[in-house]
């Protein structure tokens, strides 16, 4: 190790010859190299481990949570004595820094300080936290006392050792100290004790240096938290590319990679200075959250104009400034100091902190330097992140309107209104809600913004500090305004009180008639410009209507992310999730389906209709055969005495109600053939035009109508088909445009596989009550995610992606109780049982642990019809359904007696609730829904919203209140 | 033939198949006299040793706000694309750690992403059952979003994995929850061939990952929830060339060994395995014993350029570096300083093998590389 250092030093002292300068004359002064007096450079000598004085009680090294990090850094002088160099294990990476610094020295520039990163041997499990503090400005000697006090207190509270090594040079005092936070991990004991020993030595040297009194020192102690450290780390090494992670490297060892002691070798650079300071704030803010917004000063007092990281450069070198702590970095260092810039131009250690308000104006404005360093796309991404990331937004409490600090929602409203205040800066403002006048407290109006915003308190009379005794909307106006009013022709004699509306119309207080429009004349606007008074912007003319629409305006990205509430709609196939999903789109979207989608849906519906027709035609053939058979039997019965010619038995001349002409017969055969080959979808949409007249003919034929009458006998024909078949002729016309209802009824039109989602917010209620609560509510956006169970495997690995869902809406088709389907093993299973199994899977899935579930029992309408004919006990799960039905049910068709359908629904709901409670011990919300009925779906989704808000209020509300909403029914036995 | 009779015959046939499978297994065990580790030890191989600076985290890519699910490197330039649950694809410059593109996806539930061989476009797939292709050079729309240049639709289940065919920007293989893999022609947007599915001898559960042989791009492997790995020839879609049994859980990750004759797997049973595609034998199992029997699942694997090292990410946040010859863990990235806080969900080696990138549920990506001093000669 020391060998390597030696090599490097050798390299560094190699002579270089100066070339004669041939370039153009230099305008600025060249920096002069100051000769170094070697004798005057202080040398840090290693002090023998002395017993500690009583005052410096060493703390016990406590184990620290795994999040804490290992590290130790040192800043050493060039003239680091060889003994201490041996003591330290200089890491290879730091040697690189060493070299560069060395060059600097040989150039004769100011610096002789070297960053030597060093590292004690620390096993990964032991935890040591380190940071380096360096001060390069003189501090008053008072600091010493104060800071030594601080030192000891920190010792106590931080459980760490502190090592200081002082370096003094030419009036600068620089202190570096290392802090060891020894976490006693399972395997870290040995190493940490090792470092302990070293720390003792160093503290010895510290004491010495302090005793000498020649050093002025300040100390800052802190605990770098994990992220800081990580980001430091990310800053550190650069050229991994040239190195290779290859087995050869690992194979033949690391003899050259430094002493066995070194585990990690960060280069110590001066960028750590900020991080230290920063972390102090961090520590404090943990105890007192109010201080979080405290302004951060870059504690690092770097020589004026120098880069905070490499300490090179002067006032004229171009530098990038951290938006938080004001640290400046030069060309070479900025990328290392700022890393990936997830929140814009901030040092890695400042990420997560609010920006300095002084720099708000430059938010999102890129410097030339960054543009040079990075390509356009990268710069664009950084600026976007800087402008829109949440932590960089204006803190609402900094803005006070009419004497009251704003809340977050108010600020959002203010900024997202149609005519927001320009360049909003922290400060006190007054806002006249009626006219929209906006200004700084104690000043004339600045701007006319959107009126009627519910922001801040009422405007005060002295808001603009006027002394004219003329009032506008209760605010005493300024002299300039009064002059404008007079020039605009407003009668201001007798100190009147005016009401001014947003359109500029004004009336005197207590009088009904409008006296005129302030900004009505063209001259007034010019006048206002001269007096630098605001005039209403054009858009504000229609701001009356815009208040409501401003809510639905697109919000910045960061807001959208936060307020979206995700509802997952899931159910076994055929449970009607797609209908509910479509219904939600129709209900809440202005344009439920785009043109492309409609086009696609048209094709889907048309091919469906052909499919239905095909099924009917198939049925027709069967019916025809049957009736022919019947006829023949009839004839054979009649045969002996009948006169029918035997030839007719072949069916040539026979007419049944199901017979069709040869042309239609050909079409029918062709259609059936295509259906059998399963290529209907591929052929039909294109062939639509060609066959439309044929279909029309077919539909009007007697045979088709007769078959249609008997459609209930055709099992494969879905019940929904009658809706489409009745308007088949219309649908199959080439210019058919599906209505919303058609789309709702159609099957398989939403992306049939996988996932679909729709963003919506519940529309404002029409009545306008106290809207403060609703306003908040309308900001909430919901996302309905529909997942199809089909195509998603049994173990549902993908479900973990949906863990941020707030409510799972599980859909069950009530009318499934007598339907059967084939399960994975090919057995015929009741569909309700399949639904139940799926429900169990979902509820017990680890991702949905503690998730709210809302059960929607769908198809209540068809269930009510069906239950009258088919007993609910047909499904084995419901075999104990014994409804108490009043004898006189038939004649008491009123609401006093629940219908069998309602009883059935409650029974099923309770069955599911018990199942849910048995599985999770929690409560299941349940609701009935008719997916084809918009209001029913609306109610169901609003119910989901209620579930969400109860969930939020749960800590405050007692559980008993919920029972009101429960659908627990006791009207039947089970 | 009645249904009952058919069922009986089916049962009998299934039994025969099972017994044959068992015999095959026995036979394989007989043939395997040693495994890689045993042989390597007998040859006196010593394990790879890691110095402290041989693999350090030298970059942290911050910018995602959700769990990172997938990442991929470009073959030639040092860019990375990552997919996260926040519904964005981010293209990173791994050297400067800056973002070059942040693509907002129409469907936020993205599970996989891939860089095209030319580095001009990226592909991603997820719960929407589509594979979307974005051309990085296309103009952004007025909201600053990159438009989808091609949607590959046809899967009936989620797209769990996608990979471009090496050196072809127009072909892509996806794996899906509908038990199939599909080779796509991107220019037409149509399926060239479908591997597996209803009537073919393919996977019997969700396919979770694919890996294409770099040296022979006609061959690819797929790992599935049916705990098997299948080897496919893109010219023969009807049936798998070979099926590899051995795992006792879902196979989450498959990756070809650099020489193309072997491949590694990572599974829910907590093990990684090495298989030989020529013999069909399992060569080695990489299993770290845990005290409790709840072994963390393997989420993702990658080989070093020489194949001596196998990087494996686990659900508990560990990331082991295995010595493939001796089957020993030589390093755990999860236990190093500033490692990820959460599950490591994806990892990948850069094309030149100089850096490893890991993506985690803590929403960060980290780049690990040799962090020591390089002696300049």
């Amino acid at each position: 190790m020391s060998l390597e250092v030696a090599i490097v030093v050798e390299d560094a002292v190699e002579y270089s010859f100066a070339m004669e300068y041939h370039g153009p004359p230099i305008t600025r002064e060249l920096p002069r190299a100051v000769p170094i007096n070697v004798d005057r450079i202080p040398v840090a000598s290693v002090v023998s481990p002395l017993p500690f004085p009583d005052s410096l009680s060493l703390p016990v090294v406590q184990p620290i949570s795994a999040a804490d990090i290992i590290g130790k850094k040192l800043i050493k002088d060039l003239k680091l004595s060889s003994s201490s160099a041996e003591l330290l294990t200089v890491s290879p990476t730091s040697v690189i820094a060493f070299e560069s610094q060395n060059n600097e020295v040989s150039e004769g520039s100011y610096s002789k300080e070297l960053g030597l990163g060093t590292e004690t041997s620390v096993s990964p499990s032991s935890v040591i936290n380190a940071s380096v503090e360096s001060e390069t400005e003189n501090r008053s000697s008072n600091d010493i006392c104060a800071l030594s006090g601080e030192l000891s207190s920190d010792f106590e509270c931080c459980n760490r050792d502190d090592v200081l090594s002082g370096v003094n040079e030419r009036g600068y005092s620089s202190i570096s100290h290392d802090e060891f936070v020894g976490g006693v991990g399972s395997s870290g004991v040995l190493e940490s004790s090792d470092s302990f020993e070293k720390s003792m030595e160093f503290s010895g040297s510290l004491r010495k240096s302090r005793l000498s009194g020649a050093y002025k020192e300040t100390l800052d102690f802190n605990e770098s938290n994990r992220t800081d450290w990580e980001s430091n780390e990310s800053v550190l090494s650069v050229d991994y590319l040239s190195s290779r992670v290859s087995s050869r490297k690992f194979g033949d060892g690391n003899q050259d990679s430094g002493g066995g002691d070194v585990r990690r070798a960060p280069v110590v650079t001066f960028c750590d200075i900020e991080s230290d300071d920063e972390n102090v704030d961090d520590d404090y803010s943990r105890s007192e959250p109010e201080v979080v917004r405290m302004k951060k000063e870059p504690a690092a007092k770097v020589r004026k104009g120098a880069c905070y990281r490499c300490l090179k450069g002067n006032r004229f070198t171009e530098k990038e400034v951290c938006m938080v702590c004001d640290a400046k970095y030069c060309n070479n260092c900025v990328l290392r100091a700022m890393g990936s810039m997830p929140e814009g131009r901030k040092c890695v250690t400042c990420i997560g902190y609010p920006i300095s308000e002084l720099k708000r104006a430059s938010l999102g404005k890129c410097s030339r330097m960054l543009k040079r360093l990075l390509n356009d796309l990268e710069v664009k991404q950084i600026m976007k992140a800087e402008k829109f990331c949440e932590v960089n937004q204006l803190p609402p409490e900094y803005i006070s309107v009419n004497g009251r600090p704003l809340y977050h929602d108010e600020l959002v409203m203010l900024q997202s209104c149609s005519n927001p205040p320009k360049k909003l800066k922290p400060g006190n403002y007054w806002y006249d809600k009626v006219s929209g006048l906006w200004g700084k407290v104690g000043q004339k109006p600045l701007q006319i913004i959107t009126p009627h915003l519910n922001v801040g308190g009422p405007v005060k009379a002295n808001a603009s500090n006027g002394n004219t005794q003329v009032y506008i909307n209760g605010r005493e106006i300024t002299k300039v305004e009064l002059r404008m009013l007079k020039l605009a022709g407003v009668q201001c004699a007798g100190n009147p009180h005016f009401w001014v509306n947003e359109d500029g119309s004004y009336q005197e207080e207590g009088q009904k008639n409008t006296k005129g429009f302030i900004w009505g004349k063209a001259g007034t606007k010019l006048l206002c410009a001269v007096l630098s008074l605001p005039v209403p912007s054009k858009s504000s003319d229609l701001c009356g209507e815009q208040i409501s629409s401003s809510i639905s305006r697109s919000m910045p990205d960061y807001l959208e992310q936060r307020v979206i509430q995700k509802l997952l709609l899931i159910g076994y196939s055929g449970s009607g999730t797609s209908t509910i999903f479509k219904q939600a789109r129709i209900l809440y979207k202005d344009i439920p389906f785009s043109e492309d989608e409609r086009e696609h849906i048209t094709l889907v519906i048309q091919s469906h209709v052909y499919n239905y027709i095909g099924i009917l035609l198939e049925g027709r053939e069967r019916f025809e055969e049957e009736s022919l058979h019947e006829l023949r039997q009839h004839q054979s019965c009649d045969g002996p005495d009948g006169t029918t010619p035997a030839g007719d038995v072949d069916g040539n001349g026979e007419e049944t109600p199901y017979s069709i002409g040869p042309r239609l017969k050909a079409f029918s055969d062709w259609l059936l053939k295509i259906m059998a080959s399963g290529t209907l979808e591929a052929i039909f949409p294109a062939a639509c035009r060609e066959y439309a007249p044929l279909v029309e003919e077919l539909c009007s034929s007697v045979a088709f109508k007769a078959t249609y009458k008997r459609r209930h006998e055709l099992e494969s024909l879905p019940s929904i088909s009658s809706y489409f078949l009745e308007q088949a002729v219309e649908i199959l016309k080439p210019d058919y445009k599906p209505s919303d209802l058609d789309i709702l009824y159609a099957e398989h039109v939403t992306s049939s596989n996988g996932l679909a989602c729709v963003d919506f917010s519940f529309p404002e209620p029409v009545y306008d009550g106290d809207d403060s609560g609703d306003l908040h509510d309308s900001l909430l956006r919901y996302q309905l995610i529909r997942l199809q169970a089909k195509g998603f495997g049994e173990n549902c690995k993908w479900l973990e992606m949906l863990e941020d869902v707030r409510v799972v809406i599980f859909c069950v088709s009530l009318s499934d109780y007598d339907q059967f389907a084939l399960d994975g093993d090919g057995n015929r299973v009741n569909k309700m049982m399949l639904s139940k199994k799926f429900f169990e899977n979902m509820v017990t899935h680890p991702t949905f642990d503690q998730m709210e579930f809302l059960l929607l029992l769908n198809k209540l309408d068809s269930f009510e019809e069906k239950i009258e004919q088919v007993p609910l006990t047909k499904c084995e799960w419901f075999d104990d359904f014994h409804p108490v039905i009043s004898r006189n049910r038939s004649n008491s068709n009123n609401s006093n007696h629940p219908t069998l359908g309602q009883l059935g629904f409650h029974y099923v709901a309770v069955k599911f609730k018990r199942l849910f409670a048995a599985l999770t011990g929690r409560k299941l919300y349940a609701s009935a829904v008719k997916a084809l009925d918009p209001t029913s779906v609306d109610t169901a989704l609003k119910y989901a919203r209620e579930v969400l808000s109860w969930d939020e209020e749960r800590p405050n509300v007692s559980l008993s209140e919920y029972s009101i909403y429960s659908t627990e029914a006791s009207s039947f036995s089970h | 033939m009645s249904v009952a009779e058919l069922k009986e015959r089916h049962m009998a046939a299934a039994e025969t198949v099972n017994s044959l499978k068992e015999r095959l297994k026995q036979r394989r065990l007989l043939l395997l006299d040693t495994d890689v580790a045993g042989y390597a030890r007998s040859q006196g191989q010593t394990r790879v040793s890691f110095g402290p600076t041989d693999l350090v985290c030298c970059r942290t890519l911050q910018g995602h706000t959700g769990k990172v699910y997938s990442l991929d490197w470009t073959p030639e330039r040092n860019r990375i694309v990552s997919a996260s649950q926040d519904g964005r694809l981010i293209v990173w410059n791994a050297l400067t750690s800056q973002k070059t593109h942040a693509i907002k996806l129409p469907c936020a539930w993205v599970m996989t992403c891939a860089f095209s061989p030319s580095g001009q476009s990226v592909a991603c797939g997820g719960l929407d059952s589509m594979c979307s292709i974005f051309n990085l050079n296309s103009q952004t729309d007025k909201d600053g979003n990159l438009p989808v240049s091609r949607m590959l639709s046809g899967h009936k289940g989620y797209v769990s994995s996608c990979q471009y065919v090496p050196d072809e920007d127009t072909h892509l293989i996806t794996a899906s929850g509908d038990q199939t893999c599909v080779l796509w022609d991107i220019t037409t947007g149509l399926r060239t061939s479908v591997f597996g599915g209803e009537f073919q001898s393919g996977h019997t559960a969700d396919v979770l990952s694919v890996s294409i042989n770099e040296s022979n791009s006609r061959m690819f492997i797929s790992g599935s929830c049916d705990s098997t790995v299948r080897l496919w020839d893109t010219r023969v879609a009807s049936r798998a060339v070979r099926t590899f049994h051995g795992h006792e859980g879902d196979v989450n990750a498959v990756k070809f060994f650099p020489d193309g004759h072997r491949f590694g797997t990572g599974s829910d049973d907590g093990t990684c395995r090495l298989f030989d595609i020529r013999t069909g034998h399992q060569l080695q199992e990489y299993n770290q014993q845990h005290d409790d029997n709840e072994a963390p699942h393997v989420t993702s694997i990658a080989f070093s350029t020489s194949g001596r090292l196998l990087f494996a990410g686990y659900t508990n946040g560990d990331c082991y570096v295995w010595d493939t010859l001796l089957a020993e863990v030589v390093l755990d990235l999860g236990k190093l300083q500033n490692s990820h806080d959460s599950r490591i969900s994806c990892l990948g080696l850069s094309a030149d093998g100089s850096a490893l990138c890991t993506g985690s549920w803590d929403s960060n990506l980290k780049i690990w590389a040799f962090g020591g001093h390089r002696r300049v000669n």
Side-chain angles (χ1 to χ4, degrees), chain B residues 100 259 308:
Chain B
T100 59
D259 69 357
R308 182 69 194 269

Side-chain angles (χ1 to χ4, degrees), chain A residues 2 37 102 124 130 156 226 233 282 289-290 293 304 390 401 474 488 530 575 580 715 759-760 782 851 876 927 953:
Chain A
S2 52
N37 186 347
N102 240 339
E156 264 138 39
R226 185 185 180 80
E233 186 68 9
D282 190 28
E290 297 83 43
R293 297 242 188 248
K304 201 155 181 155
E390 199 177 339
V401 172
V530 171
S575 59
I580 293 178
E715 272 186 9
D759 287 12
F760 65 94
Y782 295 85
M851 184 77 70
E876 60 264 37
S927 167
E953 287 162 15

Side-chain angles (χ1 to χ4, degrees), chain A residues 61-299:
Chain A
V61 178
Q62 298 281 339
I64 289 176
S65 68
D68 287 18
I69 316 298
I70 307 159
K72 175 197 171 186
K73 302 162 194 173
L74 262 183
I75 294 180
K76 284 261 156 196
D77 191 40
L78 172 63
K79 292 288 175 179
L80 198 65
S81 69
S82 60
S83 59
S84 58
E86 270 164 22
L87 184 83
L88 300 164
T89 44
V90 180
S91 78
T93 344
S94 64
V95 174
I96 298 168
F98 191 99
E99 274 177 306
S100 65
Q101 298 271 2
N102 240 339
N103 293 338
E104 213 174 276
V105 173
S106 60
E107 280 159 21
S109 69
Y110 63 95
S111 167
K112 279 209 285 301
E113 291 172 352
L114 290 183
L116 280 196
T118 182
E119 185 78 37
T120 46
S121 65
V122 184
S123 84
S125 52
S126 83
V127 182
I128 290 188
N129 195 345
S131 54
V132 178
E133 170 66 27
S134 165
E135 291 291 330
T136 52
E137 266 189 15
N138 291 337
R139 291 282 173 104
S140 73
S141 52
N142 293 346
D143 281 348
I144 300 170
C145 317
L147 284 160
S148 56
E150 199 180 306
L151 175 70
S152 57
S153 70
D154 274 328
F155 267 137
E156 264 138 39
C157 66
C158 297
N159 298 326
R160 76 185 82 168
D161 301 344
D162 296 300
V163 181
L164 294 178
S165 118
V167 178
N168 192 0
E169 178 187 53
R170 239 185 286 136
Y172 293 153
S173 88
S174 77
I175 302 293
S176 63
H177 74 263
D178 289 350
E179 306 166 347
F180 290 28
V181 177
V184 187
S186 55
S187 61
V189 182
L190 205 140
E191 284 85 3
S192 62
S193 69
D194 185 23
S195 60
F196 203 74
E197 196 180 292
K198 283 178 199 163
S199 71
M200 283 162 69
E201 290 176 63
F202 277 98
S203 40
S205 73
L206 154 73
R207 271 187 329 108
K208 192 185 173 196
S209 64
R210 216 192 259 154
L211 283 171
S212 70
Y215 303 92
K216 296 144 190 163
E217 21 189 323
T218 62
L219 298 173
D220 273 293
F221 294 107
N222 56 63
E223 243 175 318
S224 323
N225 60 26
R226 185 185 180 80
T227 44
D228 286 341
W229 173 254
E230 277 171 6
S231 23
N232 283 348
E233 186 68 9
S234 73
V235 167
L236 297 172
S237 136
V238 242
D239 46 1
Y240 69 87
L241 263 184
S242 43
S243 57
R244 292 178 67 89
V245 183
S246 74
S247 64
R248 249 172 300 129
K249 186 63 81 184
F250 301 127
D252 58 25
N254 311 281
Q255 294 93 331
D256 60 332
S257 71
D261 249 356
V262 184
R263 290 236 59 138
R264 187 129 306 239
V267 182
V268 177
T269 61
F270 283 87
C271 79
D272 289 322
I273 294 160
E274 295 84 53
S275 73
D276 287 354
D277 173 62
E278 165 85 23
N279 293 329
V280 176
D281 278 348
D282 190 28
D283 279 354
Y284 289 158
S285 62
R286 259 176 236 152
S287 49
E288 4 174 16
E290 297 83 43
V291 199
V292 174
R293 297 242 188 248
M294 250 175 50
K295 171 79 185 79
K296 253 185 257 318
E297 293 290 341

